Amino acid sequence: MYGFCRGVAVTGSSAALVFGAGTAAGWVRWTSLHLASFGWFLLTNALVAMLLEAVPEELTLRGYTWAALRERLGGVGAALGTTAVFLVTPGASTVVEAGVGRILGVQTPPMGLVPHGQDPFFYPVLLIVFGLTLVAARTSPGPGPLWASIGTHLTFLSVNRVAFEGVRRHTGWSARIAPEHAALLCLGYLAVTAAVFLCLRRWKRPSLGEYAE
């Protein structure tokens, strides 16, 4: 629980800081908050996202894959390798989806390197930054580091769905943001999140005296 809350707190506060700055600069305009709808969205989104996205993806990628690569390639190699696997996963999923659709006789979106409807340039960049941020959370100090990446993953999904897809998802609170500003804000708060985790790691690094002991 401590690790999960650490991931939520660091990612949520970083998003609040960056979106707050964007709002002050006039880049973001928020709708009025409908508290009941917003609360219901956060609850249902958390349940679905944890079961289908945050937990399985973190267990397989920042859990098993990262640990296996770290034994062979070290920390940097494991971080890059895990992020590379994360980058190709969406494209591979479109192939699997098309194959299953063909077996079942169901029409599916076209296969591609990125999911249908996503920007072919920005989406890979976002995945790289997001993947490295999740590795930073995974390697952060304190108990439950894998749960820190799960908390970061869930918070990222929640923030983006409210800020960028609020109207379509009926979140009870949404924002109007120009596409170029949306990209900067999204990458910006991920960068701040990663920086905070890295600073925590440096701050908690044992001294030479502690190593000697």
Side-chain angles (χ1 to χ4, degrees):
M1 183 59 70
Y2 179 83
F4 178 77
C5 291
R6 185 168 72 251
V8 171
V10 171
T11 312
S13 58
S14 299
L17 176 66
V18 171
F19 276 97
T23 302
W27 291 4
V28 186
R29 294 184 178 181
W30 298 93
T31 63
S32 58
L33 173 63
H34 190 283
L35 191 58
S37 298
F38 183 62
W40 178 248
F41 166 76
L42 291 180
L43 176 62
T44 55
N45 175 73
L47 292 173
V48 174
M50 286 287 284
L51 290 173
L52 299 182
E53 296 171 279
V55 171
E57 289 183 18
E58 294 312 304
L59 287 177
T60 54
L61 291 170
R62 261 65 57 174
Y64 175 77
T65 302
W66 183 85
L69 291 177
R70 190 172 186 273
E71 292 181 358
R72 297 167 174 80
L73 304 177
V76 175
L80 296 177
T82 303
T83 303
V85 175
F86 188 49
L87 184 61
V88 301
T89 298
S93 69
T94 66
V95 177
V96 174
E97 184 180 15
V100 173
R102 179 169 296 182
I103 293 173
L104 299 178
V106 178
Q107 186 176 5
T108 60
M111 293 182 289
L113 296 177
V114 301
H116 180 65
Q118 296 290 344
D119 185 276
F121 173 75
F122 176 70
Y123 190 77
V125 173
L126 175 62
L127 281 189
I128 292 172
V129 176
F130 184 36
L132 293 174
T133 301
L134 290 169
V135 171
R138 172 66 176 84
T139 57
S140 63
L146 181 58
W147 279 97
S149 68
I150 292 173
T152 295
H153 199 140
L154 174 63
T155 306
F156 168 81
L157 294 175
S158 301
V159 168
N160 283 15
R161 286 167 182 172
V162 169
F164 306 128
E165 305 174 18
V167 174
R168 182 171 65 86
R169 292 182 178 269
H170 307 289
T171 60
W173 196 32
S174 60
R176 286 181 291 176
I177 313 173
E180 62 274 15
H181 293 157
L184 289 174
L185 291 170
C186 188
L187 295 176
Y189 88 80
L190 283 176
V192 172
T193 300
V196 171
F197 281 125
L198 292 175
C199 287
L200 289 174
R201 185 179 179 185
R202 180 174 294 273
W203 179 53
K204 290 288 187 178
R205 179 177 296 174
S207 65
L208 292 177
E210 290 174 321
Y211 278 123
E213 293 174 2

